[in-house]
Amino acid sequence: MGRDVDRAAFSREDRVRYRQKVRRCLDVFALMLDDFGFDADRPMTGLEIELNLVDPNAEPAMRNDEILAAIADPLFQTELGRFNLELNANPRLIEGKGFADYERDLSGSLSRANDRAAQSDTRIVLVGILPTLTERHLVAENLSTNERYRVLNDQIVGARGEDIELDIRGVERLRTHTDSIAPEAACTSLQFHLQVAPDSFADYWNASQAIAAAQVAVGANSPFLYGRQLWAETRIALFEQATDTRPDELKAQGVRPRVWFGERWITSIFDLFEENVRYFPPLLPICETEDPVQVLHAGGVPELAELRLHNGTVYRWNRPVYDIMDGRPHLRVENRVLPAGPTVVDMLANAAFYFGLVRGLAEADRPIWSQLTFSSAEENFHAAARRGMDAILHWPRLGEVPVTKLVLDVLLPIASAGLDGFGVAPAERDRLLGIIEQRCRTGRNGAAWQTLTVWAAERHRNLDRHAALRHMLQRYAELQRTNEPVHSWPID
């Protein structure tokens, strides 16, 4: 939900008009899927990275407005919390040395931004959840000043009608309440975009759902929240709970959550947009002046602004996207399951694993979703978030299998073939997938490194938990700047 909002309250009439407009947009979208020319000749990719700002003591720095002004680069934008930024990479093809181009551009952008931030005694850190965050940081006063975040907060909290409970049971347990969505700002993610043709969208979305567990297991980087060790990828549980608009009664009635894995395999992208309209009341009922029917009949490309805005307030882990670029509409899968960090090269290894694996499975002769139940895919996803590299997943023909064995024996060869299908240079393919392989062989991803380092600081340095987390984060930030993959980082 990246658009600006200039209204703080909505009337009943606003909601009725918006609901009618969304349904009108949905009807037009169905017509477009039947016979419109979507741009899908050469599938472009994109990356978004959410960032954290920290001060010299490794505490969150509530200074994103100041840092953004200093960076003065349109690729950087605000995010939910005042200690957050977002970096949007320029879309590109990944054929040839596309990943190397991503790495050069992202490293350059982050280096320049860090230089500007340093002038304000601030550093940028790429991590799924900032380990030094406490409850006093995640309050409504620390939401970014952009009005859209305040309005979104008011709408979610108002829809729930009571405080939001956080109850996460992992290695340790966290149970607390909040009167705002500010804890969501702790969730800093890495998001991949893949342009897909309408007739193959369902295959790519289904494949993305099937592999979400493996992605999270090898990429987990969020083990700590409020000083407690919870899940390997605590971000999953936190995001699901921090934006839940349902009180207990609606949960018991089976009302769907707005952060949603889904409940079935699909046959068309239309299924997802139709579910959005059927299951989810509008949070931001803002209508534009466009009549999509008239635009379509006149031979134009409808913006479908209301349908897109509504889609942006349903937080699927794999989200469908309708967008327009240079006057041509296109469809994308937005993969949202991974945390930021630990390094640029780690994130690009995660990207190579996702893009290659999703293509390999989407184009397989026998679809994985014809062999794996949807409920198993969801159970795998949460098992991977809890246990990371130690997760046991269910996989067709293998039964219950350690995720590291599944990745090494089954998924990496599929990902390699998928990258060949994109035309990725063999050296780039092997370099990046080799990082995923080494994580599996060493059992070391970002979450594992963080927990081992905190354990060592507590036992060998006699630090309490907060001091150990601060020590770990400072060391993490130093190693991040080397751009060496996390499986090679020392524990000291």
Side-chain angles (χ1 to χ4, degrees):
M1 203 281 299
R3 59 171 293 171
D4 288 336
V5 174
D6 58 5
R7 302 181 60 179
F10 303 100
S11 67
R12 295 179 181 178
E13 291 76 14
D14 290 332
R15 296 183 184 279
V16 171
R17 185 165 55 251
Y18 181 81
R19 183 175 288 109
Q20 292 171 344
K21 189 73 177 292
V22 168
R23 289 173 176 165
R24 190 171 179 85
C25 287
L26 186 65
D27 291 341
V28 169
F29 186 56
L31 295 173
M32 294 177 69
L33 290 174
D34 284 339
D35 58 11
F36 211 87
F38 285 84
D39 186 6
D41 300 333
R42 303 181 73 198
M44 298 289 285
T45 67
L47 275 72
E48 299 176 50
I49 309 169
E50 295 170 355
L51 317 170
N52 291 283
L53 302 173
V54 298
D55 66 19
N57 294 318
E59 301 285 335
M62 307 297 173
R63 312 174 87 169
N64 64 353
D65 283 345
E66 176 186 348
I67 303 304
L68 273 177
I71 294 172
D73 183 341
L75 295 178
F76 288 85
Q77 300 176 5
T78 58
E79 250 300 326
L80 180 61
R82 291 174 57 208
F83 58 94
N84 299 143
L85 297 177
E86 181 177 273
L87 170 58
N88 295 288
N90 287 316
R92 70 195 68 211
L93 301 170
I94 56 173
E95 66 183 22
K97 296 185 177 180
F99 283 112
D101 293 339
Y102 265 133
E103 186 171 0
R104 182 189 63 248
D105 289 355
L106 289 172
S107 296
S109 293
L110 288 167
S111 178
R112 288 189 295 272
N114 251 320
D115 289 344
R116 300 293 178 86
Q119 297 172 14
S120 299
D121 288 329
T122 302
R123 286 188 295 179
I124 293 173
V125 177
L126 306 166
V127 65
I129 292 178
L130 195 62
T132 52
L133 282 168
T134 65
E135 290 187 70
R136 67 182 173 84
H137 296 125
L138 295 176
V139 293
E141 291 74 17
N142 286 333
L143 294 175
S144 288
T145 56
N146 190 307
E147 186 62 21
R148 73 172 181 262
Y149 300 119
R150 307 281 173 171
V151 174
L152 185 64
N153 175 74
D154 292 346
Q155 294 300 305
I156 289 177
V157 174
R160 184 177 175 93
E162 58 188 44
D163 283 357
I164 297 169
E165 182 181 31
L166 303 179
D167 188 359
I168 305 174
R169 306 181 192 199
V171 176
E172 299 168 347
R173 184 179 182 185
L174 171 67
R175 188 173 187 184
T176 186
H177 290 79
T178 176
D179 61 0
S180 76
I181 63 169
E184 183 197 339
C187 304
T188 41
S189 66
L190 168 65
Q191 299 166 21
F192 304 135
H193 292 255
L194 178 61
Q195 196 175 70
V196 180
D199 58 357
S200 59
F201 185 93
D203 293 342
Y204 276 82
W205 187 85
N206 289 340
S208 295
Q209 293 285 98
I211 65 174
Q215 285 183 268
V216 168
V218 299
N221 194 30
S222 313
F224 294 101
L225 176 64
Y226 292 171
R228 293 175 175 83
Q229 182 183 346
L230 300 171
W231 293 10
E233 190 47 46
T234 304
R235 209 182 98 263
I236 302 299
L238 177 59
F239 193 33
E240 288 176 343
Q241 295 183 24
T243 54
D244 198 341
T245 58
R246 307 167 303 161
D248 290 343
E249 294 82 1
L250 293 185
K251 293 178 187 178
Q253 293 170 29
V255 173
R256 279 78 174 175
R258 295 199 86 103
V259 177
W260 198 30
F261 189 82
E263 60 190 17
R264 62 183 174 124
W265 305 119
I266 65 168
T267 58
S268 166
I269 187 175
F270 183 82
D271 296 346
L272 302 177
F273 281 100
E274 191 275 334
E275 284 180 347
N276 289 353
V277 175
R278 179 153 44 103
Y279 293 145
F280 299 101
L283 286 180
L284 300 170
I286 302 169
C287 288
E288 305 295 342
T289 57
E290 176 192 77
D291 184 334
V293 175
Q294 290 183 0
V295 173
L296 185 65
H297 287 167
V301 180
E303 292 282 343
L304 306 183
E306 295 79 9
L307 189 69
R308 292 161 70 186
L309 177 59
H310 189 53
N311 184 53
T313 63
V314 179
Y315 304 100
R316 297 178 185 271
W317 293 110
N318 285 291
R319 177 187 277 166
V321 176
Y322 166 85
D323 207 349
I324 302 169
M325 183 67 67
D326 298 327
R328 292 192 66 185
H330 68 261
L331 306 177
R332 302 194 304 268
V333 177
E334 181 186 9
N335 178 258
R336 302 160 51 83
V337 305
L338 286 174
T343 64
V344 170
V345 74
D346 278 307
M347 292 188 293
L348 290 173
N350 291 338
F353 185 55
Y354 170 71
F355 289 131
L357 185 54
V358 75
R359 178 164 183 158
L361 290 177
E363 298 183 359
D365 292 335
R366 187 180 179 193
I368 187 65
W369 52 96
S370 70
Q371 309 166 63
L372 181 71
T373 66
F374 195 89
S375 61
S376 292
E378 183 173 14
E379 289 167 7
N380 283 346
F381 178 64
H382 286 100
R386 287 187 180 93
R387 302 276 294 168
M389 301 293 280
D390 296 325
I392 305 294
L393 306 184
H394 178 80
W395 200 255
R397 296 189 299 277
L398 296 178
E400 305 299 309
V401 58
V403 68
T404 51
K405 179 176 175 57
L406 175 65
V407 172
L408 290 170
D409 294 351
V410 178
L411 301 184
L412 277 175
I414 296 172
S416 181
L419 292 179
D420 289 344
F422 279 113
V424 174
E428 285 299 289
R429 175 201 66 201
D430 294 344
R431 177 176 75 101
L432 295 174
L433 293 185
I435 292 172
I436 303 297
E437 177 185 357
Q438 288 305 309
R439 283 191 213 155
C440 291
R441 296 198 185 281
T442 62
R444 183 78 57 81
N445 59 10
W449 184 90
Q450 288 191 52
T451 55
L452 286 170
T453 302
V454 168
W455 183 89
E458 288 177 333
R459 285 156 182 78
H460 303 320
R461 296 173 182 265
N462 295 317
L463 299 180
D464 64 23
R465 176 60 61 84
H466 186 72
L469 288 169
R470 188 166 57 243
H471 163 78
M472 179 271 287
L473 184 58
Q474 289 171 329
R475 184 68 173 132
Y476 180 104
E478 293 170 1
L479 292 166
Q480 186 169 90
R481 287 195 293 272
T482 69
N483 201 33
E484 294 295 325
V486 71
H487 72 261
S488 67
W489 289 8
I491 304 295
D492 53 28

